[in-house]
Amino acid sequence: MKKIFLLWLFLGMLHTAFSQTITVRDKESGEPLQQVTLISHDPRAFTTTNSKGQADITAFRGSQNIEIRTLGHKTLYRSYRELQLEGFKIQMDPSVVNMDELVISATRWSQASSDVPARITTITRREVSLQNPQTAADLLEVSGQVFVQKSQQGGGSPMIRGFATNRLLYTVDGVRMNTAIFRGGNIQNVISLDPFAIEKTEVLFGPGSVIYGSDALGGVMSFKTLVPGFSLDDKPLVSGKGVIRYASANNEKTAHFDANVGWKKWAMVTSISSNDYGNLKMGSHGPDDYLKPYYVMRIDSLDQVVENKNPKVQKPSGYSQINMMQKVRFSPNEEWDFQYGFHYSETSEYGRYDRHLRMRDGHPRYGEWSYGPQKWMMNNLSILHRGNNRLYDRLSIRLAQQYFEESRISRNFNSPNRETRLEEVDAYSANFDFNKSTSDRNTLMYGVEYVLNEVTSSGTDENINTGKTQPGPARYPQSNWASYGVYVSNQLELSKKTQLQAGARYNQFVLDADFDTTFYPFPFTEARLNKGALTGNIGLTHRPDRSWVLKMNVSTAFRSPNVDDVGKVFDSEPGAVVVPNPDLKAEYSYNLDLGMAKIIGENVRFDLNAYYTVLDHALVRREYTLNGMDSIMYDGVMSRVQAIQNAAVAHIYGFWAGLEFKLPAGFEFSSDFNYQKGTEELDDGTKSPTRHAPPWFGVSRLKYRTGKLNMQFYAQYSGERKHEDMPEEEKGKTEIYAKDANGNTYSPSWYTINFKAMYQLGEMFAISAGLENLTDQRYRPYSSGISAPGRNFIISMQMRF
């Protein structure tokens, strides 16, 4: 036994003696750079730096070309010998014109963005620290390329390329977040994610079904959370940060703490955040239609309309939230890497503000309308194996279990009957992804996926005067939704300048739903779907030289009907009720992308991307009949019967233009402009603008960075949507839109001027502050049910260790 112990001690000392650590720092500030990627193709090696900017590059010995990349800095190319001559200490120059950032959302494997035919944008932790987004929905807006709709403050429904809600896909650490009850109406599931716990966000624009399956019609939002970092020496690596923040527009009070403890083979990270948001205050200069002169209070067992002393304060809109994350990582050797992650998020009850704006017979429609606590929990085990065998060079396994809970609580004005509808989803998934380099010029990626959603839905009706409760109609049937997919994707280097990437996926989706006819006389008691979908993509990237990238991508995607499509009963608008339709099939999108990026000199980068998409067999809400009746009594109102149907074709086109310009003396300028337009068929064969194609929008930023100071002065803006250009289904929503000179609904144009700054106080402390909407504009982003914040002062203190 003593000999074995001495042998292990000798081997450990031998590894330490021959291991080599590199340290990477920012050239201007001298700060260590985290998550810098180092890649070698011969020998095959990959690693990233930890919170101290350090990485073990022992596996890179002998390499003639090591690529060193991180977003916002110039890519470096070094041989191992050159790094040795530099003392394994390098500095990276900040740069806004780099085209070689690493992305993972295109194929689930790291690739240079210039090699990917699809367009991808990245949001870094540094930008998030400066901008201080309150929610993950606000984080997506930081990109300037994602439009976010909000029905209430506790919300955020991204719109990408004319698609939204269940036609976009969310992933967290590679795990699908979409569930079988993601609806076509606006959703707010993204707020379950904690911006403080997100290490990197990528947005893939356009179809992503080959890799991700159903729902990835318009884009994929990929969130990578904090990864536990190992120590590279005998001392434990201990790092983390604490943040406190205040914002004036909603009296936000936020606190966050995360800590990483790492040894050579084990590491763990803990993260916790607490947010408290008061009622949101809108701006002073804008349409009076948005003001809220009243709110409803329950006084002496009666709902009473109470004067809102400050009509700019939107009551009720406040809520609170808590997020927790725990990760454990184990890497016994260079070949295996195990990670377990636990995530939990819960909000308080929060009012659906747009429903509190509805009127009926001269009185507020509702005495109560709120979402119950939104809960999300995920257990995720990921395993990475570097095999270098005949089947794969790298294997990634992700096994996940998620739990979702959401509820709706409503009561008509001065009615004693409170309706509560509770939905729970247990989601299970397994992904096996393989990566194999079959030659120096060809890489094969393939995998299989299994997803199961178990949906439980219940209804409770309560008389608030007597306290008596009884069962009520459920929002959904009791259902199971499953997906089985297999895909293959291949990247071929046609020449030193041209890459070809092509892939295909076959997906089988199965839905079993059992309907309760106690409350509604459905002419059926069950629905069964078992159908398949085939999708593919092919794309080219061409680099005439290091300053040019040209891209073309042709792709298809699909969305299978889910439980929300097949089985939901809800009031879509006043006087209309949507009922189940068990006879649905998948909708398909067909997309063409053309893109280019050009670096002029060393200081200017210009990007342009254009696209055209056709959505066929679109699942849309249309007039319907139930037992031969075109209208039924619902919630005390005779309502037209509607259902989701494969009844339309939609055409969507648009472009994005981006400009980045490095100016002298530490200044930079950047601008993003997005234009999209879509039309869809109506019942009578006429055309209407698509609901989720917002007016043009963008952001322009003037940045200044020197040493420990980082500042931004920027403008956000969006165009007008005139009444005649509004989607037909939006024109009648008088409660959320402004009125034009003719009294018709429309969405006015808007802009905000904003300033943000962050200063590093020594090695441990930083302070950031901002003033958003300096001119106190009163505006409401297109399709939103709540006005955006007015003038908003933000201050945040951060401590790192």
Side-chain angles (χ1 to χ4, degrees):
M1 188 67 183
K2 183 177 180 181
K3 292 181 179 179
I4 294 176
F5 173 77
L6 291 174
L7 178 62
W8 275 106
L9 181 64
F10 172 75
L11 291 175
M13 293 174 61
L14 193 66
H15 178 267
T16 302
F18 283 93
S19 65
Q20 184 57 61
T21 300
I22 190 172
T23 302
V24 185
R25 294 183 177 273
D26 181 278
K27 190 172 184 179
E28 289 187 359
S29 68
E31 295 178 3
L33 293 177
Q34 189 175 1
Q35 290 299 305
V36 177
T37 58
L38 296 92
I39 304 173
S40 170
H41 297 286
D42 185 18
R44 292 194 174 277
F46 176 91
T47 191
T48 59
T49 58
N50 61 19
S51 60
K52 293 184 177 180
Q54 297 178 333
D56 185 347
I57 58 169
T58 307
F60 291 74
R61 290 183 188 277
S63 176
Q64 296 301 308
N65 186 34
I66 301 173
E67 301 172 11
I68 307 170
R69 308 173 184 263
T70 189
L71 187 63
H73 292 78
K74 290 182 180 179
T75 299
L76 298 178
Y77 299 88
R78 296 285 194 275
S79 68
Y80 187 88
R81 176 61 177 164
E82 289 171 332
L83 293 177
Q84 191 174 36
L85 293 174
E86 294 180 58
F88 296 104
K89 296 180 180 180
I90 62 172
Q91 295 181 321
M92 299 187 73
D93 285 308
S95 173
V96 299
V97 295
N98 186 16
M99 290 198 290
D100 293 320
E101 64 185 274
L102 279 181
V103 295
I104 60 172
S105 56
T107 61
R108 293 186 184 270
W109 300 101
S110 294
Q111 294 176 279
S113 58
S114 57
D115 293 337
V116 177
R119 183 166 79 85
I120 298 174
T121 193
T122 301
I123 306 168
T124 65
R125 289 179 69 188
R126 173 174 289 181
E127 186 69 13
V128 171
S129 294
L130 175 66
Q131 294 294 335
N132 276 304
Q134 292 189 348
T135 69
D138 300 330
L139 182 153
L140 290 167
E141 277 192 310
V142 168
S143 68
Q145 300 168 42
V146 177
F147 191 93
V148 176
Q149 180 276 353
K150 291 186 179 182
S151 297
Q152 64 280 329
Q153 186 177 195
S157 188
M159 297 183 182
I160 298 175
R161 290 189 168 189
F163 293 98
T165 61
N166 55 16
R167 290 171 176 160
L168 300 175
L169 189 77
Y170 304 82
T171 70
V172 183
D173 292 336
V175 177
R176 174 192 184 91
M177 194 182 188
N178 292 42
T179 73
I181 62 171
F182 267 38
R183 55 190 180 274
N186 299 306
I187 60 176
Q188 61 269 3
N189 298 75
V190 72
I191 70 169
S192 292
L193 304 179
D194 181 8
F196 289 109
I198 295 172
E199 195 162 84
K200 183 181 180 183
T201 302
E202 294 180 13
V203 182
L204 182 149
F205 295 86
S209 282
V210 168
I211 302 299
Y212 296 99
S214 179
D215 301 2
L217 297 175
V220 177
M221 290 158 283
S222 175
F223 300 91
K224 181 182 179 183
T225 61
L226 299 175
V227 177
F230 295 115
S231 173
L232 300 177
D233 53 36
D234 293 329
K235 297 180 180 179
L237 172 67
V238 180
S239 62
K241 67 177 181 291
V243 180
I244 55 174
R245 184 175 66 207
Y246 172 80
S248 62
N250 58 357
N251 199 29
E252 178 209 11
K253 296 176 284 293
T254 284
H256 166 79
F257 177 79
D258 67 68
N260 181 100
V261 181
W263 298 269
K264 287 188 174 182
K265 297 183 183 297
W266 288 90
M268 62 183 66
V269 63
T270 302
S271 173
I272 184 168
S273 296
S274 174
N275 313 94
D276 183 79
Y277 309 109
N279 291 317
L280 182 63
K281 184 179 179 181
M282 68 180 80
S284 302
H285 309 294
D288 290 342
D289 303 287
Y290 298 154
L291 294 173
K292 185 74 183 297
Y294 69 89
Y295 58 94
V296 176
M297 284 189 67
R298 188 80 173 170
I299 303 174
D300 295 331
S301 300
L302 290 174
D303 291 329
Q304 297 190 26
V305 178
V306 178
E307 179 188 2
N308 187 0
K309 293 182 179 180
N310 187 346
K312 293 186 292 185
V313 175
Q314 303 173 92
K315 297 181 180 180
S317 60
Y319 75 104
S320 60
Q321 181 169 337
I322 188 168
N323 283 80
M324 295 181 286
M325 183 185 77
Q326 178 66 56
K327 282 189 173 183
V328 179
R329 185 180 179 190
F330 173 60
S331 182
N333 51 49
E334 294 179 357
E335 295 182 354
W336 291 94
D337 195 329
F338 300 84
Q339 283 191 55
Y340 165 75
F342 170 79
H343 303 256
Y344 183 79
S345 172
E346 182 175 350
T347 70
S348 65
E349 183 178 309
Y350 53 96
R352 177 160 176 181
Y353 184 76
D354 61 341
R355 294 298 173 97
H356 287 272
L357 300 175
R358 288 187 176 180
M359 304 291 288
R360 186 165 69 181
D361 299 328
H363 295 283
R365 167 73 187 272
Y366 296 102
E368 297 179 53
W369 213 118
S370 61
Y371 287 107
Q374 177 173 294
K375 300 178 184 179
W376 171 63
M377 182 187 71
M378 179 169 77
N379 291 281
N380 176 25
L381 175 65
S382 64
I383 303 170
L384 178 65
H385 182 230
R386 296 175 177 88
N388 296 323
N389 53 47
R390 290 185 177 182
L391 289 179
Y392 60 86
D393 296 327
R394 288 175 290 168
L395 162 66
S396 174
I397 301 173
R398 294 180 181 87
L399 307 175
Q401 176 268 331
Q402 299 179 80
Y403 172 78
F404 301 83
E405 180 182 313
E406 60 185 55
S407 57
R408 293 159 178 81
I409 305 163
S410 63
R411 184 178 56 80
N412 289 335
F413 187 74
N414 269 327
S415 168
N417 300 317
R418 176 188 290 147
E419 299 176 350
T420 301
R421 305 294 179 256
L422 174 68
E423 282 73 56
E424 298 171 283
V425 179
D426 288 292
Y428 308 90
S429 61
N431 292 84
F432 294 78
D433 300 293
F434 303 84
N435 182 297
K436 177 65 180 177
S437 294
T438 58
S439 71
D440 292 338
R441 298 171 56 189
N442 193 79
T443 300
L444 180 67
M445 293 154 282
Y446 60 100
V448 294
E449 178 185 65
Y450 169 72
V451 179
L452 172 64
N453 282 191
E454 297 175 346
V455 178
T456 303
S457 184
S458 62
T460 302
D461 294 340
E462 177 188 2
N463 186 308
I464 63 173
N465 290 336
T466 65
K468 292 183 178 180
T469 62
Q470 62 184 21
R475 181 178 172 88
Y476 297 113
Q478 312 311 305
S479 313
N480 287 338
W481 180 90
S483 170
Y484 313 83
V486 57
Y487 76 90
V488 61
S489 182
N490 194 78
Q491 187 175 44
L492 174 64
E493 184 182 290
L494 298 177
S495 69
K496 293 294 184 181
K497 297 181 177 181
T498 307
Q499 297 260 6
L500 171 69
Q501 189 162 309
R505 179 188 184 103
Y506 180 77
N507 218 103
Q508 193 75 13
F509 53 91
V510 179
L511 187 151
D512 294 315
D514 295 314
F515 292 88
D516 183 356
T517 58
T518 303
F519 300 97
Y520 299 110
F522 301 132
F524 45 80
T525 57
E526 62 180 31
R528 302 286 182 264
L529 293 179
N530 189 345
K531 298 181 180 180
L534 179 66
T535 54
N537 71 279
I538 184 168
L540 282 170
T541 61
H542 179 64
R543 298 193 67 165
D545 55 50
R546 284 193 175 271
S547 69
W548 273 100
V549 176
L550 303 174
K551 298 184 178 185
M552 182 184 73
N553 193 40
V554 179
S555 53
T556 65
F558 78 99
R559 186 177 77 84
S560 64
N562 64 17
V563 175
D564 185 85
D565 298 310
V566 171
K568 177 175 63 178
V569 178
F570 81 111
D571 56 328
S572 62
E573 58 191 50
V577 59
V578 174
V579 301
N581 178 10
D583 188 23
L584 294 175
K585 56 186 178 182
E587 57 184 4
Y588 283 85
S589 71
Y590 305 89
N591 184 77
L592 171 64
D593 261 275
L594 297 173
M596 58 83 68
K598 171 64 177 175
I599 292 179
I600 303 171
E602 294 186 354
N603 298 321
V604 180
R605 171 174 169 166
F606 177 70
D607 291 85
L608 182 64
N609 179 267
Y611 58 90
Y612 186 90
T613 304
V614 177
L615 180 65
D616 196 16
H617 301 299
L619 291 163
V620 293
R621 194 166 62 233
R622 289 288 185 264
E623 302 300 321
Y624 197 62
T625 60
L626 184 62
N627 289 332
M629 298 181 294
D630 61 7
S631 298
I632 61 172
M633 189 64 67
Y634 179 81
D635 197 19
V637 177
M638 183 58 67
S639 303
R640 302 188 321 276
V641 175
Q642 299 178 334
I644 303 296
Q645 303 173 53
N646 293 103
V649 176
H651 298 262
I652 303 163
Y653 60 90
F655 71 89
W656 162 74
L659 175 67
E660 296 173 288
F661 191 8
K662 187 174 183 179
L663 301 167
F667 285 93
E668 300 171 5
F669 175 80
S670 68
S671 189
D672 293 279
F673 181 82
N674 307 268
Y675 176 85
Q676 49 281 314
K677 189 171 184 179
T679 59
E680 68 178 22
E681 290 179 327
L682 299 180
D683 257 352
D684 59 4
T686 60
K687 305 288 186 182
S688 170
T690 55
R691 176 186 177 188
H692 293 132
W696 57 262
F697 69 96
V699 61
S700 298
R701 307 179 190 272
L702 179 63
K703 310 174 186 179
Y704 176 73
R705 185 182 174 202
T706 179
K708 299 181 182 300
L709 179 63
N710 186 5
M711 297 191 298
Q712 275 193 24
F713 183 75
Y714 64 99
Q716 290 182 283
Y717 38 84
S718 179
E720 178 186 44
R721 181 59 57 84
K722 296 180 180 179
H723 179 75
E724 55 267 29
D725 297 326
M726 296 270 285
E728 287 299 319
E729 61 182 308
E730 295 291 292
K731 288 181 178 179
K733 297 179 180 179
T734 56
E735 70 274 15
I736 68 172
Y737 288 105
K739 308 295 189 302
D740 62 19
N742 298 316
N744 295 320
T745 52
Y746 84 114
S747 181
S749 61
W750 56 267
Y751 74 93
T752 62
I753 305 297
N754 315 272
F755 175 76
K756 299 285 177 66
M758 186 172 186
Y759 186 76
Q760 192 73 32
L761 301 168
E763 293 186 0
M764 290 184 63
F765 295 94
I767 182 170
S768 63
L771 192 56
E772 297 177 334
N773 195 359
L774 272 74
T775 57
D776 205 24
Q777 297 298 302
R778 181 187 305 145
Y779 70 100
R780 186 171 289 177
Y782 165 76
S783 191
S784 292
I786 190 169
S787 297
R791 186 180 294 118
N792 185 30
F793 174 69
I794 305 167
I795 187 166
S796 174
M797 289 290 297
Q798 183 180 114
M799 182 192 72
R800 289 185 177 273
F801 59 90

